[in-house]
């Protein structure tokens, strides 16, 4: 709700009540923004927690293997 309110802050017809009404309908609604924003999507299957432990999750989108291959290509020396 906060993200939608921030995105629509310059559009007076999108009041908090209107936003809630659209969300409550449960249907997808496409809204074109006057000013596009950049969106960065981060997909993690391993991360370090605040407790200092490393956590792993299953790679449900099969992204780890191509990333590992790309990283290995970038770290090999000239004789490898």
């Amino acid at each position: 709700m906060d993200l939608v309110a921030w995105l629509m802050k310059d559009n007076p017809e999108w009041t908090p009540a209107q936003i809630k009404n659209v969300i409550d309908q449960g249907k997808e609604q496409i809204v074109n923004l006057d000013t596009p924003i950049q969106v960065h999507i981060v997909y993690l299957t391993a991360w370090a927690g605040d407790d200092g432990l490393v956590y792993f999750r299953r790679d449900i989108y099969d992204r780890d293997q191509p990333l590992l291959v790309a990283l290995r290509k970038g770290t090999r020396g000239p004789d490898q």
Side-chain angles (χ1 to χ4, degrees):
M1 184 80 170
D2 290 341
L3 175 59
V4 175
W6 180 81
L7 290 171
M8 304 310 292
K9 68 183 180 293
D10 296 329
N11 192 330
E13 71 184 55
W14 284 95
T15 64
Q18 174 63 13
I19 293 169
K20 183 176 180 339
N21 181 44
V22 170
I23 291 172
D24 288 347
Q25 290 176 17
K27 296 179 184 176
E28 179 180 312
Q29 180 166 343
I30 296 173
V31 177
N32 293 316
L33 302 174
D34 292 334
T35 304
I37 62 163
Q38 292 185 8
V39 175
H40 300 270
I41 298 173
V42 178
Y43 174 70
L44 299 174
T45 57
W47 64 94
D50 291 336
D51 55 8
L53 297 175
V54 177
Y55 293 87
F56 297 93
R57 294 293 183 263
R58 192 168 60 90
D59 178 20
I60 62 172
Y61 297 111
D62 296 321
R63 298 286 195 173
D64 285 350
Q65 189 59 35
L67 177 60
L68 186 56
V69 169
L71 288 171
R72 285 184 177 152
K73 283 182 183 177
T75 59
R76 292 184 180 181
D79 59 339
Q80 295 179 337

